[in-house]
Amino acid sequence: MSSPDIAGILDKSKELDQLRKEQEEVLVEINKMHKKLQATPEVVEKPGDNSLAKLKNLYVHAKELSESEVNVSNLLLSQLDALLPSGPPGQPRRRMEGNEQKRKRMKSDSDISRMSPSVRNQLELFASLKGEQVAARVMVTQEDAEKEEWLVVKVLHFDKETRELEVLDEEPGDDEEGGGQRKYKLPMTAIIPFPKRTDPSSAQDFPTGRHVLAVYPGTTALYKATVVNGHRKRKTDEYLLEFDDDEEDGALPQRVVPFHKVVALPDGHRQ
């Protein structure tokens, strides 16, 4: 293992420690707000009180820190996987027997219990997605070449141990051989939950000019688009979007998309 590799892992470890410290600080503030509201619930009815807004901002910050922690943890895992030896060639992997398998299960349960609250919450969030539609980054084969696409899929199962989701593309494929529905196993980083149609507070409010990822009308595919309308008075209002590469007669048509089919554009989007 080279010094630069070790330095990179140490840097990410320090970043992870810092994120966890910030999470603990935010959790302390959230608990203070909870105690305040439990002791004097009538305070929120006073003119000018911003307790609920402050609490919401704390939760938003906690969610952002949680997502950052998951991303950094995944990067650390990737770095470690790349450096760990795969073992002598040709050496068969020993089958795990009864007690050893049980010990591994117990260790896994213990690992989960030692996770920070934010990571546990993230795992619970993904476990709750079963049966829900989400945006998923998948690799599809087109003209003998693999291409990255974002599709609307249904979550069938989430494995907390491997942190993988089994999802179903309910839209039949166009190719002759695999024209039926397709299943994929994807990491958490390839999934973006949609805002809940019945809970607009879970939706982000994207300003005019912001690049987003949105479901193209009449399809189950998501593409990069730009927000056109900036006068949405409610989170339940629809978005007016211009999709990239959607040119008609030399201009980009503006298309209406429901708020619960629009999500933030992922970093490094290449579609």
Side-chain angles (χ1 to χ4, degrees):
M1 189 184 297
S2 65
S3 296
D5 293 331
I6 298 174
I9 290 174
L10 291 176
D11 286 343
K12 287 298 174 188
S13 298
K14 290 177 183 177
E15 188 177 345
L16 200 58
D17 288 338
Q18 182 59 36
L19 284 169
R20 286 175 175 168
K21 287 177 184 177
E22 291 180 27
Q23 288 172 36
E24 293 300 328
E25 292 172 1
V26 173
L27 287 173
V28 168
E29 292 301 316
I30 288 175
N31 288 333
K32 286 181 182 178
M33 289 297 300
H34 284 172
K35 289 179 181 178
K36 174 185 174 182
L37 293 174
Q38 287 171 358
T40 56
E42 68 279 0
V43 72
V44 298
E45 298 178 3
K46 294 181 179 179
D49 181 77
N50 64 346
S51 300
L52 294 180
K54 184 178 179 181
L55 184 60
K56 179 182 176 181
N57 289 335
L58 287 169
Y59 271 113
V60 169
H61 191 197
K63 180 175 179 289
E64 291 171 348
L65 289 171
S66 171
E67 291 170 348
S68 297
E69 182 180 0
V70 170
N71 290 335
V72 174
S73 298
N74 286 337
L75 285 172
L76 265 173
L77 287 172
S78 299
Q79 288 176 320
L80 290 169
D81 285 341
L83 294 171
L84 286 172
S86 57
Q91 180 178 347
R93 188 174 293 176
R94 185 165 63 87
R95 189 169 70 87
M96 227 182 268
E97 301 294 346
N99 288 337
E100 188 178 348
Q101 198 166 12
K102 184 186 290 184
R103 281 197 296 273
K104 186 176 185 215
R105 251 195 332 265
M106 291 171 65
K107 181 179 182 302
S108 174
D109 292 342
S110 174
D111 288 343
I112 291 175
S113 68
R114 289 199 299 268
M115 290 177 186
S116 68
S118 59
V119 173
R120 286 201 300 271
N121 290 341
Q122 191 81 353
L123 293 178
E124 292 301 327
L125 167 65
F126 277 86
S128 71
L129 293 175
K130 184 176 179 180
E132 299 282 342
Q133 285 190 331
V134 296
R137 185 182 68 243
V138 302
M139 298 302 294
V140 297
T141 303
Q142 292 181 353
E143 299 178 357
D144 297 326
E146 283 199 331
K147 181 186 176 185
E148 182 181 284
E149 285 193 358
W150 283 89
L151 304 175
V152 178
V153 299
K154 181 180 179 180
V155 177
L156 300 178
H157 176 70
F158 174 59
D159 189 326
K160 285 187 180 180
E161 190 170 330
T162 63
R163 301 192 183 186
E164 286 186 329
L165 296 94
E166 183 179 9
V167 300
L168 175 68
D169 178 9
E170 299 177 279
E171 188 73 15
D174 296 329
D175 55 301
E176 295 179 2
E177 294 181 4
Q181 297 177 335
R182 293 183 179 179
K183 291 183 180 179
Y184 299 91
K185 280 195 174 180
L186 303 171
M188 294 165 59
T189 51
I191 299 294
I192 303 178
F194 283 120
K196 293 187 180 298
R197 187 197 305 252
T198 56
D199 182 16
S201 65
S202 65
Q204 288 184 251
D205 197 8
F206 301 109
T208 302
R210 177 69 58 86
H211 295 309
V212 295
L213 196 65
V215 179
Y216 190 86
T219 75
T220 56
L222 294 93
Y223 299 95
K224 181 181 176 182
T226 304
V227 177
V228 177
N229 61 327
H231 55 272
R232 294 170 70 251
K233 296 181 179 178
R234 300 169 301 172
K235 282 194 171 184
T236 52
D237 289 344
E238 297 170 320
Y239 277 102
L240 199 58
L241 305 177
E242 289 181 350
F243 286 88
D244 286 14
D245 304 320
D246 188 30
E247 191 171 316
E248 287 184 1
D249 299 325
L252 291 177
Q254 297 179 352
R255 305 198 183 272
V256 175
V257 180
F259 79 93
H260 57 273
K261 295 297 182 185
V262 181
V263 295
L265 187 71
D267 291 336
H269 181 266
R270 294 193 307 252
Q271 192 180 55

